[in-house]
Amino acid sequence: MRLSVTVKSIGKRKNALSRIPVELQQSPQTLRELISALVEWNVRGLQERQQQLSLVPYLTEGEVQERAENGKVGFGAIYNDAAPDVAKAIDTAILAFEDGLYRVFICEQEAEALDAPLSLKEDDDVVLIRFTMLAGSLW
């Protein structure tokens, strides 16, 4: 199943949203399955990037310009080469959803219940909005 996923952090000043095409192996039936599938997709991508690191990283002028527009210019180095634990990552993502650290919208409708049935169709839009925790003092 192919989905279009957008991730937005409320605390970021840059409002540029980019849609990421995500290819899932199965069609998720619940929000819990959707979150799990997205985490597995991300972990697979991380593992592929860990294996494809070049010995001499460089950026073309176009890549520098593109990354500057996104707000971060870097080589994309992965400093932790340990294999991620998929089950732990899924548990963390589910806990973060339950704690209200992010919201999920599917075709502009908020998905609130983890185990409620979903009716996803090919090329549906999924938006994940991550909330920023505020810290302050009394003065």
Side-chain angles (χ1 to χ4, degrees), residues 34-50:
L34 175 63
I35 292 171
S36 298
L38 290 174
V39 168
E40 289 172 0
W41 180 82
N42 269 305
V43 169
R44 258 194 325 274
L46 174 63
Q47 290 169 338
E48 289 171 6
R49 287 191 307 276
Q50 284 176 332

PDB file of all heavy atoms in Angstrom, residues 34-50:
ATOM      1  N   LEU A  34      -0.887   1.023  11.776  1.00  0.00           N
ATOM      2  CA  LEU A  34      -0.310   2.069  10.922  1.00  0.00           C
ATOM      3  C   LEU A  34       0.960   2.621  11.549  1.00  0.00           C
ATOM      4  O   LEU A  34       1.992   2.754  10.876  1.00  0.00           O
ATOM      5  CB  LEU A  34      -1.321   3.192  10.679  1.00  0.00           C
ATOM      6  CG  LEU A  34      -0.787   4.406   9.907  1.00  0.00           C
ATOM      7  CD1 LEU A  34      -0.363   4.003   8.497  1.00  0.00           C
ATOM      8  CD2 LEU A  34      -1.829   5.516   9.874  1.00  0.00           C
ATOM      9  N   ILE A  35       0.913   2.950  12.836  1.00  0.00           N
ATOM     10  CA  ILE A  35       2.097   3.471  13.522  1.00  0.00           C
ATOM     11  C   ILE A  35       3.216   2.434  13.493  1.00  0.00           C
ATOM     12  O   ILE A  35       4.368   2.759  13.214  1.00  0.00           O
ATOM     13  CB  ILE A  35       1.744   3.893  14.966  1.00  0.00           C
ATOM     14  CG1 ILE A  35       0.816   5.112  14.947  1.00  0.00           C
ATOM     15  CG2 ILE A  35       3.005   4.190  15.778  1.00  0.00           C
ATOM     16  CD1 ILE A  35       0.221   5.478  16.299  1.00  0.00           C
ATOM     17  N   SER A  36       2.871   1.177  13.756  1.00  0.00           N
ATOM     18  CA  SER A  36       3.881   0.112  13.728  1.00  0.00           C
ATOM     19  C   SER A  36       4.515  -0.012  12.345  1.00  0.00           C
ATOM     20  O   SER A  36       5.738  -0.147  12.219  1.00  0.00           O
ATOM     21  CB  SER A  36       3.253  -1.219  14.128  1.00  0.00           C
ATOM     22  OG  SER A  36       2.748  -1.164  15.435  1.00  0.00           O
ATOM     23  N   ALA A  37       3.692   0.046  11.307  1.00  0.00           N
ATOM     24  CA  ALA A  37       4.207  -0.077   9.936  1.00  0.00           C
ATOM     25  C   ALA A  37       5.107   1.104   9.579  1.00  0.00           C
ATOM     26  O   ALA A  37       6.138   0.928   8.920  1.00  0.00           O
ATOM     27  CB  ALA A  37       3.042  -0.182   8.951  1.00  0.00           C
ATOM     28  N   LEU A  38       4.741   2.313  10.008  1.00  0.00           N
ATOM     29  CA  LEU A  38       5.570   3.485   9.731  1.00  0.00           C
ATOM     30  C   LEU A  38       6.906   3.400  10.463  1.00  0.00           C
ATOM     31  O   LEU A  38       7.950   3.770   9.917  1.00  0.00           O
ATOM     32  CB  LEU A  38       4.828   4.769  10.100  1.00  0.00           C
ATOM     33  CG  LEU A  38       3.646   5.127   9.208  1.00  0.00           C
ATOM     34  CD1 LEU A  38       2.908   6.343   9.753  1.00  0.00           C
ATOM     35  CD2 LEU A  38       4.107   5.376   7.775  1.00  0.00           C
ATOM     36  N   VAL A  39       6.888   2.913  11.700  1.00  0.00           N
ATOM     37  CA  VAL A  39       8.136   2.752  12.454  1.00  0.00           C
ATOM     38  C   VAL A  39       9.020   1.711  11.763  1.00  0.00           C
ATOM     39  O   VAL A  39      10.224   1.933  11.581  1.00  0.00           O
ATOM     40  CB  VAL A  39       7.846   2.361  13.923  1.00  0.00           C
ATOM     41  CG1 VAL A  39       9.117   1.918  14.634  1.00  0.00           C
ATOM     42  CG2 VAL A  39       7.198   3.520  14.660  1.00  0.00           C
ATOM     43  N   GLU A  40       8.442   0.585  11.354  1.00  0.00           N
ATOM     44  CA  GLU A  40       9.221  -0.443  10.654  1.00  0.00           C
ATOM     45  C   GLU A  40       9.815   0.104   9.366  1.00  0.00           C
ATOM     46  O   GLU A  40      10.971  -0.179   9.026  1.00  0.00           O
ATOM     47  CB  GLU A  40       8.347  -1.664  10.363  1.00  0.00           C
ATOM     48  CG  GLU A  40       7.987  -2.462  11.590  1.00  0.00           C
ATOM     49  CD  GLU A  40       6.965  -3.547  11.310  1.00  0.00           C
ATOM     50  OE1 GLU A  40       6.518  -3.695  10.146  1.00  0.00           O
ATOM     51  OE2 GLU A  40       6.594  -4.247  12.259  1.00  0.00           O
ATOM     52  N   TRP A  41       9.051   0.913   8.632  1.00  0.00           N
ATOM     53  CA  TRP A  41       9.523   1.526   7.392  1.00  0.00           C
ATOM     54  C   TRP A  41      10.707   2.444   7.685  1.00  0.00           C
ATOM     55  O   TRP A  41      11.710   2.437   6.955  1.00  0.00           O
ATOM     56  CB  TRP A  41       8.375   2.289   6.728  1.00  0.00           C
ATOM     57  CG  TRP A  41       8.744   2.951   5.450  1.00  0.00           C
ATOM     58  CD1 TRP A  41       8.805   2.376   4.209  1.00  0.00           C
ATOM     59  CD2 TRP A  41       9.108   4.317   5.278  1.00  0.00           C
ATOM     60  NE1 TRP A  41       9.180   3.317   3.283  1.00  0.00           N
ATOM     61  CE2 TRP A  41       9.371   4.513   3.915  1.00  0.00           C
ATOM     62  CE3 TRP A  41       9.221   5.399   6.144  1.00  0.00           C
ATOM     63  CZ2 TRP A  41       9.751   5.745   3.407  1.00  0.00           C
ATOM     64  CZ3 TRP A  41       9.606   6.616   5.624  1.00  0.00           C
ATOM     65  CH2 TRP A  41       9.870   6.782   4.268  1.00  0.00           C
ATOM     66  N   ASN A  42      10.609   3.250   8.761  1.00  0.00           N
ATOM     67  CA  ASN A  42      11.699   4.145   9.134  1.00  0.00           C
ATOM     68  C   ASN A  42      12.944   3.375   9.550  1.00  0.00           C
ATOM     69  O   ASN A  42      14.065   3.753   9.205  1.00  0.00           O
ATOM     70  CB  ASN A  42      11.271   5.072  10.281  1.00  0.00           C
ATOM     71  CG  ASN A  42      10.691   6.359   9.766  1.00  0.00           C
ATOM     72  OD1 ASN A  42      11.329   7.052   9.000  1.00  0.00           O
ATOM     73  ND2 ASN A  42       9.483   6.666  10.193  1.00  0.00           N
ATOM     74  N   VAL A  43      12.772   2.312  10.309  1.00  0.00           N
ATOM     75  CA  VAL A  43      13.918   1.507  10.754  1.00  0.00           C
ATOM     76  C   VAL A  43      14.603   0.868   9.555  1.00  0.00           C
ATOM     77  O   VAL A  43      15.833   0.846   9.461  1.00  0.00           O
ATOM     78  CB  VAL A  43      13.482   0.452  11.795  1.00  0.00           C
ATOM     79  CG1 VAL A  43      14.584  -0.561  12.052  1.00  0.00           C
ATOM     80  CG2 VAL A  43      13.074   1.134  13.098  1.00  0.00           C
ATOM     81  N   ARG A  44      13.813   0.358   8.602  1.00  0.00           N
ATOM     82  CA  ARG A  44      14.398  -0.217   7.380  1.00  0.00           C
ATOM     83  C   ARG A  44      15.227   0.827   6.633  1.00  0.00           C
ATOM     84  O   ARG A  44      16.326   0.555   6.158  1.00  0.00           O
ATOM     85  CB  ARG A  44      13.296  -0.753   6.460  1.00  0.00           C
ATOM     86  CG  ARG A  44      13.124  -2.232   6.502  1.00  0.00           C
ATOM     87  CD  ARG A  44      12.284  -2.781   5.371  1.00  0.00           C
ATOM     88  NE  ARG A  44      11.188  -1.974   4.914  1.00  0.00           N
ATOM     89  CZ  ARG A  44       9.961  -1.977   5.435  1.00  0.00           C
ATOM     90  NH1 ARG A  44       9.697  -2.751   6.453  1.00  0.00           N
ATOM     91  NH2 ARG A  44       9.013  -1.218   4.947  1.00  0.00           N
ATOM     92  N   GLY A  45      14.691   2.052   6.539  1.00  0.00           N
ATOM     93  CA  GLY A  45      15.412   3.135   5.863  1.00  0.00           C
ATOM     94  C   GLY A  45      16.710   3.476   6.588  1.00  0.00           C
ATOM     95  O   GLY A  45      17.740   3.726   5.949  1.00  0.00           O
ATOM     96  N   LEU A  46      16.678   3.490   7.922  1.00  0.00           N
ATOM     97  CA  LEU A  46      17.885   3.758   8.700  1.00  0.00           C
ATOM     98  C   LEU A  46      18.928   2.675   8.457  1.00  0.00           C
ATOM     99  O   LEU A  46      20.111   2.967   8.253  1.00  0.00           O
ATOM    100  CB  LEU A  46      17.561   3.841  10.193  1.00  0.00           C
ATOM    101  CG  LEU A  46      18.759   3.973  11.128  1.00  0.00           C
ATOM    102  CD1 LEU A  46      19.518   5.264  10.887  1.00  0.00           C
ATOM    103  CD2 LEU A  46      18.315   3.872  12.574  1.00  0.00           C
ATOM    104  N   GLN A  47      18.503   1.428   8.455  1.00  0.00           N
ATOM    105  CA  GLN A  47      19.436   0.329   8.224  1.00  0.00           C
ATOM    106  C   GLN A  47      20.066   0.422   6.830  1.00  0.00           C
ATOM    107  O   GLN A  47      21.252   0.164   6.659  1.00  0.00           O
ATOM    108  CB  GLN A  47      18.731  -1.016   8.407  1.00  0.00           C
ATOM    109  CG  GLN A  47      18.373  -1.297   9.852  1.00  0.00           C
ATOM    110  CD  GLN A  47      17.454  -2.492  10.023  1.00  0.00           C
ATOM    111  OE1 GLN A  47      16.752  -2.888   9.105  1.00  0.00           O
ATOM    112  NE2 GLN A  47      17.458  -3.063  11.230  1.00  0.00           N
ATOM    113  N   GLU A  48      19.282   0.817   5.839  1.00  0.00           N
ATOM    114  CA  GLU A  48      19.824   0.983   4.482  1.00  0.00           C
ATOM    115  C   GLU A  48      20.839   2.118   4.438  1.00  0.00           C
ATOM    116  O   GLU A  48      21.893   1.988   3.805  1.00  0.00           O
ATOM    117  CB  GLU A  48      18.693   1.247   3.486  1.00  0.00           C
ATOM    118  CG  GLU A  48      17.832   0.042   3.224  1.00  0.00           C
ATOM    119  CD  GLU A  48      16.598   0.372   2.402  1.00  0.00           C
ATOM    120  OE1 GLU A  48      16.455   1.525   1.928  1.00  0.00           O
ATOM    121  OE2 GLU A  48      15.751  -0.527   2.239  1.00  0.00           O
ATOM    122  N   ARG A  49      20.542   3.234   5.126  1.00  0.00           N
ATOM    123  CA  ARG A  49      21.483   4.358   5.162  1.00  0.00           C
ATOM    124  C   ARG A  49      22.760   3.981   5.898  1.00  0.00           C
ATOM    125  O   ARG A  49      23.848   4.422   5.524  1.00  0.00           O
ATOM    126  CB  ARG A  49      20.843   5.584   5.800  1.00  0.00           C
ATOM    127  CG  ARG A  49      19.819   6.266   4.922  1.00  0.00           C
ATOM    128  CD  ARG A  49      19.400   7.621   5.454  1.00  0.00           C
ATOM    129  NE  ARG A  49      18.953   7.609   6.832  1.00  0.00           N
ATOM    130  CZ  ARG A  49      17.715   7.314   7.247  1.00  0.00           C
ATOM    131  NH1 ARG A  49      16.790   7.016   6.353  1.00  0.00           N
ATOM    132  NH2 ARG A  49      17.393   7.341   8.530  1.00  0.00           N
ATOM    133  N   GLN A  50      22.657   3.170   6.949  1.00  0.00           N
ATOM    134  CA  GLN A  50      23.847   2.730   7.674  1.00  0.00           C
ATOM    135  C   GLN A  50      24.762   1.910   6.777  1.00  0.00           C
ATOM    136  O   GLN A  50      25.975   1.986   6.901  1.00  0.00           O
ATOM    137  CB  GLN A  50      23.449   1.897   8.905  1.00  0.00           C
ATOM    138  CG  GLN A  50      22.922   2.702  10.057  1.00  0.00           C
ATOM    139  CD  GLN A  50      22.442   1.826  11.209  1.00  0.00           C
ATOM    140  OE1 GLN A  50      22.014   0.689  11.004  1.00  0.00           O
ATOM    141  NE2 GLN A  50      22.506   2.360  12.412  1.00  0.00           N
TER     142      GLN A  50
END
